[in-house]
Amino acid sequence: MMRKTFLLLMLLAAPAAAQMPDGSYTFNLLPDPNNMTSCIGLEPSFQRPFTLAMAGGTGTLTSDGGISIQMTPSGPNRIHGVFELSLERFDYTVDLAARTLTVVGNNLGCKFSGKAG
């Protein structure tokens, strides 16, 4: 049963991967105005440019500080990656159709987003 589910998910993801154009995108993020005060310390790390390099339906998102995150298809024109630091997990989602990058911290709830320049 698990194998059938995995195969079905792979078949559904294949068309999504085929729609993603190769290329490079640069995102400048801003903090969500509703972030808690504990998120303020993270702002300098997220306000640096992030560069997404797409090739063959997958991507690598690289921060200005040199941290690279592998991104994989998560839906039509969407890719997703995860970065964990200390006790915080950050989910990175790129919507290539809207040319946006959204970052959400799962523990503190910090949010950052921006459009490709």
Side-chain angles (χ1 to χ4, degrees), residues 46 67-69 81-86 88-92:
F46 287 103
I67 296 173
S68 294
I69 301 162
V82 174
F83 179 74
E84 294 188 63
L85 179 66
S86 292
E88 185 69 21
R89 173 190 159 118
F90 295 96
D91 285 298
Y92 291 76

Side-chain angles (χ1 to χ4, degrees), residues 1 5 7 11 15 28 34 37-38 41-42 52 70-71 77 102 117:
M1 179 67 175
T5 303
L7 290 174
L11 289 173
N28 292 303
N34 297 320
T37 55
S38 57
L42 297 173
L52 173 66
Q70 296 304 308
M71 308 288 282
N77 288 318
T102 304

